[in-house]
């Protein structure tokens, strides 16, 4: 296994612990008396769809890289990154909607958890976008597909992981 | 012939490790400051950790002055005292011990001991140090902000940590939490390196079960840290939000100075669970590297292979796994279902089994060994004794019925200082005396070292043994002064004075050690290559001290485990891990062994 890939897997293990603990804290806190479930903004649905598209884009790039097709890598990377930015913008918009309705972080623990969870998830995606930016820049400077293959694959793995995390968190927010 | 000579095919894994692309420093800045060489990063970590550790040492003197001679120091008020306690604890546990063991020894020893040229992600490794330095600076900054550093106790329990009655509630607590979060981010960067380097960058022939126990200890401790620090991270971020945005993750409805605060409904116990889910593994994060290092020191300085190597490895792994199942034994007095108390008491006692195995194996390694009472050996033996002492009071406190009355007394202070203060520090000293020649090419001064050892070792016992007794009397911890207390006799005060005097003397001995570190770097006796005649790879580098890239043109090939001391049939009493089987005996030993690595046949 490439060293960087193992590095990423170990890192994903650490991130998994972070989010698991957050979920554990959430499920404990919601049993206390003052918990008022939060009406999830409808925007989260399109946002989730956009994040899925983002993951699909990077998977596209990964497959194209494996087949040695630079045009496919380009399309996939740009689509994946573009959708990721769109997702982050959408999340900020969702925050704005909530705040406009008076759901501030301090008004209820459910709100506080919502902001915390979405913020941490967004920050992780932002970190992923740094790696994505470096890969895209490398592609722009005219790197061969073979040189890009590993970077693209790692981005895709990270994206799928964050998508999975989001689906779990979104489910948790929806059903509680 | 009694000696078993393995064939190369049997003992060397066929897979060749890909040579990493080495980073080459281009200027003074990238060679010494923004350097990506793990050895330089290790020194940077060690110096920073040592410097902040000195601050914590001075804080402990101030606390002892207050405890020994109350009413004598007008510049220490109760608030200051709480701040000293908090910063002393946090600095020693996290910014000194964790950083020094993993960032310091881990960076220096892992690549050398597994035969790698460097860590696998040198750039991330460099970032790790700089983020750590930033965390330390943020922490130090809290001494200079209005209100000073937080005085919440190193456990930072809410709600008191963020209420205005606690010193440093304005800025101190914020800076502390930010600093912790930064530390964890920085550590994660380093930790990824340590784990992946051990898994992926071992040289040819270095199987996992041939690694020195030092590497095993640091490796498992790093895994623990990677899995445990997230709990502190989550806790710190949530408390930061409670403090800044007035969310109520941990804060219950509370009245402060007659005023209802904006908090409601939060659960302080949730923080305690998060904190100790990190906090207990943290004990083993600083203990496991110590276990590993001590195994190697004992084996080398007793010229004897470590007893039960595999058992030692599995004990390290078992202790690591169990350490995640005992955290709530820190919370017996917080109130819990008795069945939980039973569960956590049981797991706590179970941890004694693998730990006792390690202690027996150390003692059995010494048994009939050729014990050289060198400084590293003295410190290693002192560690075993101290760790057993501190560990046994731990078993004692692990039982809820014992813990409840002794909770928050000086007994607990004595226990945890013995087991995770004094014991790891003794290992660190032993390790520094052992590996100093590898770093500088010179030996530390023996006379100063002996002085340092005896004062520190005996002094630690004079400080902490009486403290157990104070705890039995009921003297509480964290108290600025005892005041008028019926059940505590006047003699307790005399004992406190005694402890303070000894603490100051032991502190002075550490300054002698610091002087030795600096003085010997310039004036110390030149050590020559491999002064301890050790088998492990870090002493077998072509250049001594090892240079950037560690191994010159070719990486070493490993033929044996790390503990071939006094092997029957071999004519030197140690066989370096990279000594080929055909070079072991006198008949066919070649002259091309590293200079000075050969011990004259006896």
């Amino acid at each position: 296994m490439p060293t960087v890939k193992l590095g990423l897997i170990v890192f994903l293990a650490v991130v998994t612990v972070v989010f698991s603990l957050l979920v554990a804290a959430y499920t404990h806190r919601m049993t206390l008396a003052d918990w008022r479930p939060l009406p999830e903004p409808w925007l989260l649905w399109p946002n989730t769809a956009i994040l899925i598209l983002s993951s699909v884009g990077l998977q596209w790039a990964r497959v194209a890289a494996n087949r040695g097709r630079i045009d496919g890598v380009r399309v996939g990377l740009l689509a994946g990154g573009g959708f990721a930015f769109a997702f982050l913008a959408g999340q900020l918009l969702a925050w704005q909607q909530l705040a406009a309705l008076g759901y501030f972080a301090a008004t209820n623990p459910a709100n506080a958890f919502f902001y915390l969870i979405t913020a941490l998830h967004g920050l992780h995606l932002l970190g992923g976008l740094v790696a994505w930016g470096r890969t895209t820049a490398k592609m722009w400077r005219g790197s061969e597909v073979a040189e890009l293959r590993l970077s693209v694959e790692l981005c895709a793995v990270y994206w799928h992981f964050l998508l999975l995390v989001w689906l779990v968190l979104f489910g948790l927010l929806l059903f509680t | 012939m009694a000696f078993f000579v393995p064939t190369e095919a049997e003992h060397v894994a066929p897979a060749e490790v890909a040579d990493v692309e080495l980073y080459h420093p281009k200027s003074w800045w990238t060679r010494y400051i923004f350097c990506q060489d793990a050895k330089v990063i290790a020194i940077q970590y060690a110096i920073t950790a040592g410097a902040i550790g000195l601050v914590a040492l001075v804080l402990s003197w101030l606390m002892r002055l207050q405890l020994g001679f109350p009413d004598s120091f007008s510049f220490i008020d109760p608030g200051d005292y709480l701040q000293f306690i908090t910063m002393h604890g946090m600095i020693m546990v996290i910014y000194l011990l964790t950083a020094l063991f993993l960032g310091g020894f881990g960076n220096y020893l892992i690549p050398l001991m597994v035969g790698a040229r460097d860590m696998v992600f040198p750039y991330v490794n460099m970032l790790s140090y700089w983020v750590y330095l930033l965390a330390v600076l943020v922490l130090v900054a809290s001494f200079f902000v209005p209100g000073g550093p937080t005085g919440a106790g190193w456990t930072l329990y809410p709600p008191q940590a963020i209420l205005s009655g606690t010193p440093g509630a304005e800025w101190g607590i914020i800076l502390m939490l930010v600093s912790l979060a930064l530390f964890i981010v920085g550590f994660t960067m380093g930790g990824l390196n340590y784990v992946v380097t051990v898994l992926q960058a071992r040289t040819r022939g270095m199987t996992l079960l041939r690694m020195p126990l030092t590497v095993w200890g640091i490796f498992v401790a790093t895994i623990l840290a990677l899995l445990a620090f997230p709990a502190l991270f989550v806790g710190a971020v949530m408390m930061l939000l409670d403090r800044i945005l007035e969310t109520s993750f941990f804060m219950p409805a509370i009245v402060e100075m007659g005023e209802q605060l904006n908090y409601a409904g939060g659960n302080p116990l949730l923080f305690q669970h998060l904190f100790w889910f990190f906090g207990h593994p943290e004990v083993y994060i600083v203990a496991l590297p110590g276990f590993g290092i001590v195994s190697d020191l004992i084996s080398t300085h007793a010229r004897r292979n470590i007893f039960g190597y595999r058992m030692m490895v599995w004990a390290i792994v078992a202790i690591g796994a169990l350490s995640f199942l005992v955290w709530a034994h820190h919370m017996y007095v917080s109130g819990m279902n008795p069945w939980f108390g039973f569960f956590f008491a049981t797991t706590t006692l179970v941890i004694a089994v693998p730990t006792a195995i390690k202690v027996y194996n150390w003692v059995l390694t010494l048994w009939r060994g050729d014990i050289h009472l060198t400084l590293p050996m003295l410190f290693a033996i002192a560690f075993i004794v101290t760790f057993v002492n501190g560990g046994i009071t731990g078993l004692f406190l692990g039982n809820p019925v014992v813990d409840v009355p002794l909770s928050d007394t000086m007994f607990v202070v004595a226990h945890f200082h013995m087991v995770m203060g004094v014991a790891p520090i003794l290992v660190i000293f032993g390790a520094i005396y052992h590996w100093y020649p590898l770093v500088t090419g010179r030996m530390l001064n023996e006379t100063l070292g002996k002085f340092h050892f005896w004062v520190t070792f005996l002094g630690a016992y004079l400080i902490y043994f009486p403290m157990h007794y104070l705890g039995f009397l009921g003297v509480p911890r964290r108290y600025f002064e005892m005041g008028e207390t019926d059940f505590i006799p006047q003699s307790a005060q005399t004992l406190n004075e005694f402890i303070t005097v000894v603490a100051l003397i032991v502190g002075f001995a550490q300054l002698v050690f610091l002087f030795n570190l600096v003085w010997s770097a310039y004036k110390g006796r030149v050590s020559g290559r491999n002064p301890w005649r050790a088998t492990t790879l870090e002493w077998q580098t072509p250049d001594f001290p090892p240079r950037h890239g560690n191994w010159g043109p070719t990486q070493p090939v490993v033929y044996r485990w790390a503990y071939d001391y006094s092997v029957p049939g071999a004519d030197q009493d140690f066989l370096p891990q990279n000594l080929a089987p055909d070079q072991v005996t006198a008949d066919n030993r070649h002259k091309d062994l590293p200079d000075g690595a050969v011990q004259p046949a006896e």
Side-chain angles (χ1 to χ4, degrees), chain A residues 62-140:
Chain A
R62 180 185 183 177
V63 172
N66 281 337
R67 293 183 184 160
R69 290 214 305 262
I70 188 74
D71 50 335
V73 175
R74 189 170 295 148
V75 171
L77 265 184
L78 289 183
F83 280 123
F85 279 114
F87 171 80
L88 288 176
Q91 294 288 81
L92 285 176
L93 217 57
W95 278 18
Q96 230 165 34
Q97 286 186 355
L98 274 178
L101 292 171
Y103 291 96
F104 301 111
T107 16
N108 193 275
N111 311 358
F113 265 105
F114 175 81
Y115 286 109
L116 178 59
I117 283 175
T118 47
L120 268 183
H121 179 264
L123 282 176
H124 280 86
L125 191 58
L126 216 51
L129 279 168
V130 172
W132 170 86
R134 289 169 60 114
T135 311
T136 312
K138 208 155 67 170
M139 181 187 70
W140 229 250

Side-chain angles (χ1 to χ4, degrees), chain A residues 1-4 6-7 10-11 13-14 17-18 21-22 25 28-29 32 34 105-106 109 112-113 116 120, chain B residues 120-121 192 195-196 199-200 226-227 230-231 234 237-238 241 245-249 264-267 270 274:
Chain A
M1 184 189 291
T3 304
V4 211
L6 183 66
V10 176
F11 178 67
V14 177
V17 179
V18 171
L21 288 165
L22 213 55
H28 165 77
R29 187 67 180 84
L32 301 180
D34 63 333
F113 265 105
L116 178 59
L120 268 183
Chain B
V120 286
F121 314 122
L192 289 177
V195 170
V196 179
L199 289 178
Q200 295 264 318
L226 285 174
L227 299 179
V234 170
V237 169
M238 284 160 78
L241 294 177
L245 297 182
E246 296 194 327
T247 55
S248 300
F249 290 111
N267 186 357
L270 181 56
L274 286 170

Side-chain angles (χ1 to χ4, degrees), chain B residues 228-495:
Chain B
F229 271 121
L232 183 63
F233 182 81
V234 170
V237 169
M238 284 160 78
M239 185 155 26
L240 206 54
L241 294 177
D242 273 7
R243 168 67 185 76
I244 297 175
L245 297 182
E246 296 194 327
T247 55
S248 300
F249 290 111
F250 306 130
M251 294 297 282
I254 204 161
V255 175
E256 179 188 72
M257 316 282 273
E259 190 188 339
Q260 179 78 38
L261 297 182
N262 283 333
Y263 299 111
N267 186 357
L269 277 182
L270 181 56
F271 179 83
Q272 295 191 16
H273 281 292
L274 286 170
F275 183 86
W276 289 114
F277 188 74
F278 143 78
H280 196 85
E282 171 65 28
V283 174
Y284 292 95
I285 291 165
V286 304
L288 292 182
F291 291 172
I293 289 171
V294 145
S295 307
D296 286 356
L297 297 190
I298 283 182
S299 180
T300 305
H301 294 266
R303 317 307 296 164
R304 203 162 179 288
N305 63 303
I306 194 80
F307 187 92
Y309 170 80
R310 273 166 196 259
M311 228 194 296
M312 292 300 250
V313 171
W314 289 116
I316 286 178
V317 175
I319 293 171
L322 283 172
S323 73
F324 280 99
L325 300 175
V326 300
W327 79 90
H329 70 210
H330 297 271
M331 299 165 56
Y332 289 147
V333 293
S334 303
M336 65 172 79
N337 185 312
W339 288 108
F340 281 123
F342 176 73
F343 172 79
F344 284 107
T346 311
T347 51
T348 304
L349 300 186
V350 167
I351 264 199
V353 176
T355 316
I357 288 177
K358 297 196 73 70
V359 173
Y360 285 125
N361 286 356
W362 289 325
V363 175
L364 288 169
T365 304
L366 289 171
W367 176 252
R368 299 182 75 182
D370 177 10
I371 298 176
H372 295 52
L373 287 177
T374 54
L375 285 162
M377 182 57 126
L378 287 174
F379 277 105
I381 295 173
F383 162 81
I384 299 176
V385 175
T386 309
F387 187 76
V388 168
N389 271 314
I392 283 178
T393 49
L395 286 181
F396 187 61
L397 285 173
N399 300 283
V401 281
V402 181
D403 180 78
V404 168
L406 285 175
S407 215
D408 277 326
T409 65
M410 281 297 184
F411 188 90
V412 178
V413 176
H415 155 68
F416 70 70
H417 274 91
M418 280 302 237
V419 80
M420 75 171 296
V422 179
I425 283 287
L426 288 171
V427 182
I428 285 176
F429 287 143
I432 291 175
Y433 283 101
H434 183 81
W435 278 298
Y436 188 83
L438 180 66
V439 179
T440 62
R442 289 172 188 273
M443 305 293 279
L444 281 165
N445 182 290
E446 183 95 9
T447 316
L448 292 178
K450 287 260 160 71
F451 171 81
H452 173 228
F453 170 74
W454 287 109
V455 175
T456 307
F457 176 56
L458 296 179
Y461 279 76
L462 292 178
I463 293 170
Y464 294 109
F465 266 172
M467 223 179 258
H468 289 90
Y469 173 67
L470 288 179
F472 270 128
L473 287 179
V475 177
R477 70 191 272 212
R478 297 198 174 114
Y479 275 35
F480 172 66
E481 58 187 353
M482 284 185 279
E484 296 294 317
T485 332
D486 284 342
F487 62 91
I488 297 169
Q490 189 53 40
S491 60
Q493 184 50 43
T494 321
L495 208 49

